[in-house]
Amino acid sequence: MQALKKTQEHAWLQQLVGEWRGEGSCSMGPGQPEQSWTVEESVRAIGEVWVQCESHGHMPDGSPSVMLITLGYDPDKQRFTGTFVGSMMTYLWVYEGSLDPGGRVLTLDAQGPSMACDGTLAKYQDIVEFRDADERSLSSQIQLPDGTWHQFMTTRYRRER
């Protein structure tokens, strides 16, 4: 194996480490009621090049939810990489993404089950944006058949410690 070389992208991921509390909302489409929730998130470093985000909350129907995100950076691909799993679904989401030029917004691309529930796949993006060291957001959007993006979920996080 080659010697591990940390990059500024690896350092960027480390700012996620900590205890967070989030408040989120989503709207799955026109005519659908908006749903909201709170979530507790613990982000741990896995060495100096990976982070693991573990969230605990409740679904809109009150059932408990657990979500795990792993994020790293692959210098050979020059892309962020990661995965997402949630206790409310059986699909393993695989991320690839990049930072904006200002270094505040990480856009993670993924492919997953279409909201049409017809067995097709759709393109998604999860977008992590730092407002400052103790406040960030996570937004999710889906690419519609006409090529436009529809944001359906946003969670705002505040660092607890």
Side-chain angles (χ1 to χ4, degrees):
M1 283 186 88
Q2 293 180 331
L4 183 64
K5 294 181 184 174
K6 286 189 343 183
T7 67
Q8 66 186 35
E9 290 84 1
H10 294 123
W12 189 93
L13 289 169
Q14 296 303 308
Q15 71 184 324
L16 290 163
V17 173
E19 301 298 320
W20 300 82
R21 179 170 178 78
E23 295 181 1
S25 63
C26 71
S27 175
M28 300 312 280
Q32 299 286 331
E34 185 167 292
Q35 300 172 354
S36 61
W37 61 85
T38 60
V39 64
E40 303 290 330
E41 183 180 57
S42 179
V43 182
R44 295 179 293 281
I46 302 174
E48 297 179 276
V49 296
W50 291 94
V51 295
Q52 179 186 24
C53 313
E54 182 173 346
S55 300
H56 292 264
H58 289 86
M59 298 299 294
D61 68 2
S63 62
S65 65
V66 178
M67 293 157 284
L68 291 173
I69 296 175
T70 57
L71 292 174
Y73 180 77
D74 184 333
D76 292 334
K77 291 182 178 181
Q78 296 186 11
R79 302 282 287 167
F80 285 84
T81 60
T83 59
F84 168 81
V85 294
S87 61
M88 73 295 294
M89 64 184 73
T90 59
Y91 192 80
L92 171 67
W93 297 79
V94 177
Y95 290 132
E96 239 189 56
S98 61
L99 275 177
D100 74 318
R104 288 188 35 232
V105 181
L106 172 62
T107 301
L108 299 164
D109 298 307
Q111 192 171 38
S114 164
M115 289 186 184
C117 299
D118 59 3
T120 62
L121 296 175
K123 291 181 180 179
Y124 289 85
Q125 290 181 327
D126 280 352
I127 302 165
V128 178
E129 180 176 359
F130 271 91
R131 303 209 188 304
D132 61 42
D134 295 323
E135 186 176 349
R136 65 183 168 88
S137 64
L138 171 65
S139 301
S140 296
Q141 58 185 20
I142 183 172
Q143 189 173 40
L144 301 175
D146 68 1
T148 62
W149 289 93
H150 168 68
Q151 182 177 309
F152 61 89
M153 188 280 305
T154 299
T155 303
R156 297 194 190 297
Y157 293 90
R158 296 275 316 147
R159 188 183 303 274
E160 301 267 298
R161 53 189 162 102

